[in-house]
Amino acid sequence: AQTVTQSQPEMSVQEAETVTLSCTYDTSESDYYLFWYKQPPSRQMILVIRQEAYKQQNATENRFSVNFQKAAKSFSLKISDSQLGDAAMYFCAYRTNYGGATNKLIFGTGTLLAVQP
Amino acid sequence: DTGVSQDPRHKITKRGQNVTFRCDPISEHNRLYWYRQTLGQGPEFLTYFQNEAQLEKSRLLSDRFSAERPKGSFSTLEIQRTEQGDSAMYLCASSLDSQAEQYFGPGTRLTVT
């Protein structure tokens, strides 16, 4: 069974600085997706960024980028130029890409990011 | 496209009562998922529909839980004889076959007293 581990329960960053959130996962599959979702307090979960396992190039979305190390099964999220609105719980998630599968998301336990003004 | 909606947003009930939650997915999305999120944890998969067919149920979904998706549109999740351990946020998500990502609703927070 696949598992996702986020070893940093809480992180803090100064506004305008850069922070990296860690995620490791375990799978025997070779074709899958990885995601970072953001869940602000009392608000719904939104997708931040996704990575397809067969793509070697790391995904980037504006100030958000990932460091995907497939062999090490590591998938970290870097937030550059942190803003107050980035404060939220961040979840790393895994999804198989095998045809016919449910494609359910498997989540880590989350990292609570605080942004200090 | 108004996004995924869920109703109610909050529900307080007494132990032993039945509750029902509704999820309206994004209109053209054929896949619908229910997850449960307890405090300090990531969401955990409960069940999955492709159109109107319920194709997978987690072991977390005891026989007190039932979900439906009539006509492949909205879905309902019913919990019978609620227990305090059922207190959680119940999240609904939807997607298309062609999409990797799932889009989440705001959730229904259930408190069982």
Side-chain angles (χ1 to χ4, degrees):
Chain A
Q2 296 82 22
T3 59
V4 177
T5 301
Q6 294 179 251
S7 58
Q8 305 157 315
E10 297 182 12
M11 292 282 285
S12 182
V13 63
Q14 292 290 129
E15 200 174 2
E17 297 295 306
T18 295
V19 65
T20 299
L21 309 184
S22 301
C23 173
T24 59
Y25 59 95
D26 190 26
T27 184
S28 58
E29 299 173 341
S30 59
D31 192 8
Y32 51 86
Y33 287 93
L34 294 165
F35 305 89
W36 280 97
Y37 278 88
K38 169 185 177 181
Q39 189 176 41
S42 301
R43 296 182 62 185
Q44 68 196 79
M45 195 163 321
I46 58 174
L47 178 68
V48 174
I49 198 166
R50 79 174 204 189
Q51 175 77 43
E52 296 159 81
Y54 64 86
K55 288 188 176 179
Q56 292 187 338
Q57 186 173 5
N58 289 324
T60 299
E61 288 287 342
N62 301 314
R63 298 183 294 108
F64 299 87
S65 62
V66 298
N67 184 5
F68 173 49
Q69 301 290 327
K70 190 172 185 179
K73 297 179 182 175
S74 170
F75 182 61
S76 61
L77 174 70
K78 186 172 81 171
I79 306 174
S80 304
D81 185 25
S82 296
Q83 300 175 0
L84 294 178
D86 294 334
M89 182 71 88
Y90 287 81
F91 290 100
C92 178
Y94 171 101
R95 199 214 85 171
T96 186
N97 196 30
Y98 283 97
T102 298
N103 294 340
K104 62 192 173 193
L105 293 172
I106 299 168
F107 286 88
T109 51
T111 296
L112 183 62
L113 178 66
V115 181
Q116 308 298 331
Chain B
D1 180 358
T2 58
V4 179
S5 61
Q6 292 186 246
D7 184 67
R9 296 290 305 276
H10 303 274
K11 178 71 176 179
I12 300 174
T13 191
K14 293 185 177 180
R15 188 179 56 178
Q17 297 295 304
N18 299 344
V19 294
T20 300
F21 311 140
R22 176 180 170 124
C23 170
D24 286 90
I26 295 171
S27 58
E28 67 271 23
H29 285 189
N30 62 326
R31 293 176 174 235
L32 188 146
Y33 301 81
W34 284 98
Y35 294 86
R36 182 170 70 187
Q37 185 179 19
T38 53
L39 201 60
Q41 299 296 316
E44 295 175 291
F45 170 76
L46 290 179
T47 191
Y48 158 65
F49 289 86
Q50 184 161 344
N51 300 309
E52 66 275 9
Q54 187 175 20
L55 297 185
E56 185 172 342
K57 293 192 289 186
S58 162
R59 289 172 297 173
L60 293 175
L61 214 64
S62 76
D63 56 6
R64 296 184 298 105
F65 288 71
S66 63
E68 294 182 341
R69 192 183 182 196
K71 302 179 183 178
S73 55
F74 71 92
S75 176
T76 58
L77 178 67
E78 181 183 15
I79 309 174
Q80 295 183 329
R81 305 180 304 281
T82 52
E83 302 173 355
Q84 287 189 321
D86 297 331
S87 295
M89 176 76 85
Y90 290 84
L91 298 170
C92 177
S94 70
S95 72
L96 286 169
D97 281 338
S98 57
Q99 289 176 327
E101 55 269 29
Q102 296 174 19
Y103 296 86
F104 283 82
T108 294
R109 181 168 295 283
L110 173 66
T111 302
V112 181
T113 62

